[in-house]
Amino acid sequence: LTGTEQSTRVGLFGGSFDPIHLGHVATVRAAQRELGLDRVIYLPTARPPHKPERKFASARSRFAMVEIALLDHEDLQVSPFELTPDRSAYTIDTVRHFQKTQPEVDFVLLIGGDSFAQLDRWKSWNEIVERVRIGVLVRPGWRIEQVSDTMNPELLALAQGGAVDFVEDEPMAVSSTDLRRRFAQDLEIPSDALSPAVLKYVRKYSLYR
Ligand code: ATP
């Protein structure tokens, strides 16, 4: 070892992906460039703890869509670890699991700016931030100070102390909520919103009708 060799860095990116769209790929690509991630693992979650009342396409369908959207991207992968249909999945369990099974890898947790501001509500959030670096995906110009009034002081100190990487990226003008609405109302789907294979899959099974 020369001492300059770097360990493999892998991003973990959880979400509902209901459905996965090209914004979910673009933002991860930006994070990958800025944080030097060799791979990113998408984790479709069966039942997000913070959206308990929402109706979703089935966990299997969302998993399948993530897989087919990422099929041509060798370094973007999908894991079924958070597909726990009978209970909510907790990020701390995911982090522990990946660190245990791949101890040689340096994991980075990718989350949106809004989620980060509420990280102190997550189960064992202190342990999460001890275990992994956090890559926060934010709009250009977004500053932690804009939400500091409502933030946990400990979390704020962490962010201001450099324990967190902020990745600035202009979000694509596409959202899963809007896509579900368009499918339900049989409206046009913008051509740059979805991978063509995902579009076929949604139509094949009338997922959002
Ligand atoms: P919904 O509209 O169903 O609430 P969502 O895209 O906001 O969907 P998730 O599917 O859980 O929610 O997305 C995971 C993460 O992807 C979000 O927390 C956000 O950081 C990021 N993301 C979502 N949409 C975009 C976008 N258009 N551009 C960049 N990043 C995005």
Side-chain angles (χ1 to χ4, degrees):
L1 287 173
T2 62
T4 56
E5 290 175 38
Q6 291 182 340
S7 60
T8 306
R9 289 195 106 190
V10 175
L12 299 173
F13 185 51
S16 348
F17 307 119
D18 191 17
I20 185 169
H21 55 64
L22 295 180
H24 291 131
V25 177
T27 195
V28 160
R29 286 295 186 208
Q32 215 181 351
R33 279 193 303 274
E34 283 199 39
L35 306 179
L37 305 175
D38 299 287
R39 283 183 291 129
V40 174
I41 300 174
Y42 286 63
L43 292 140
T45 188
R47 291 205 284 165
H50 55 290
K51 296 179 186 168
E53 75 295 345
R54 256 265 304 279
K55 234 159 99 70
F56 289 92
S58 76
R60 280 175 208 216
S61 297
R62 290 182 289 108
F63 181 89
M65 288 189 282
V66 175
E67 181 64 279
I68 61 181
L70 303 180
L71 207 51
D72 291 332
H73 306 283
E74 244 183 82
D75 52 346
L76 305 183
Q77 303 174 342
V78 57
S79 160
F81 190 76
E82 293 194 352
L83 283 190
T84 49
D86 48 327
R87 60 175 174 86
S88 293
Y90 292 103
T91 301
I92 185 59
D93 298 328
T94 305
V95 167
R96 286 184 190 142
H97 165 80
F98 279 92
Q99 288 185 329
K100 190 170 171 191
T101 52
Q102 301 176 56
E104 71 289 358
V105 168
D106 175 19
F107 287 102
V108 177
L109 186 66
L110 301 178
I111 59 178
D114 301 336
S115 303
F116 175 72
Q118 308 191 345
L119 191 74
D120 59 313
R121 299 184 195 173
W122 295 18
K123 187 182 163 199
S124 307
W125 75 271
N126 277 299
E127 188 185 333
I128 295 175
V129 298
E130 275 165 25
R131 282 179 172 268
V132 288
R133 271 195 87 76
I134 302 199
V136 183
L137 313 168
V138 299
R139 291 171 183 275
W142 188 90
R143 294 286 170 268
I144 193 81
E145 286 71 26
Q146 292 164 8
V147 291
S148 59
D149 291 353
T150 53
M151 262 182 84
N152 175 312
E154 217 182 319
L155 185 58
L156 184 64
L158 209 79
Q160 291 175 325
V164 172
D165 292 307
F166 290 95
V167 176
E168 291 201 357
D169 180 46
E170 189 66 66
M172 281 180 59
V174 51
S175 82
S176 299
T177 303
D178 182 58
L179 287 167
R180 288 193 301 275
R181 185 185 59 88
R182 285 172 180 274
F183 282 117
Q185 300 177 4
D186 217 5
L187 300 174
E188 194 188 332
I189 304 298
S191 61
D192 55 353
L194 289 175
S195 118
V198 170
L199 181 59
K200 271 193 208 165
Y201 184 92
V202 171
R203 295 228 156 102
K204 181 172 177 181
Y205 294 104
S206 306
L207 278 193
Y208 300 108
R209 298 302 298 275

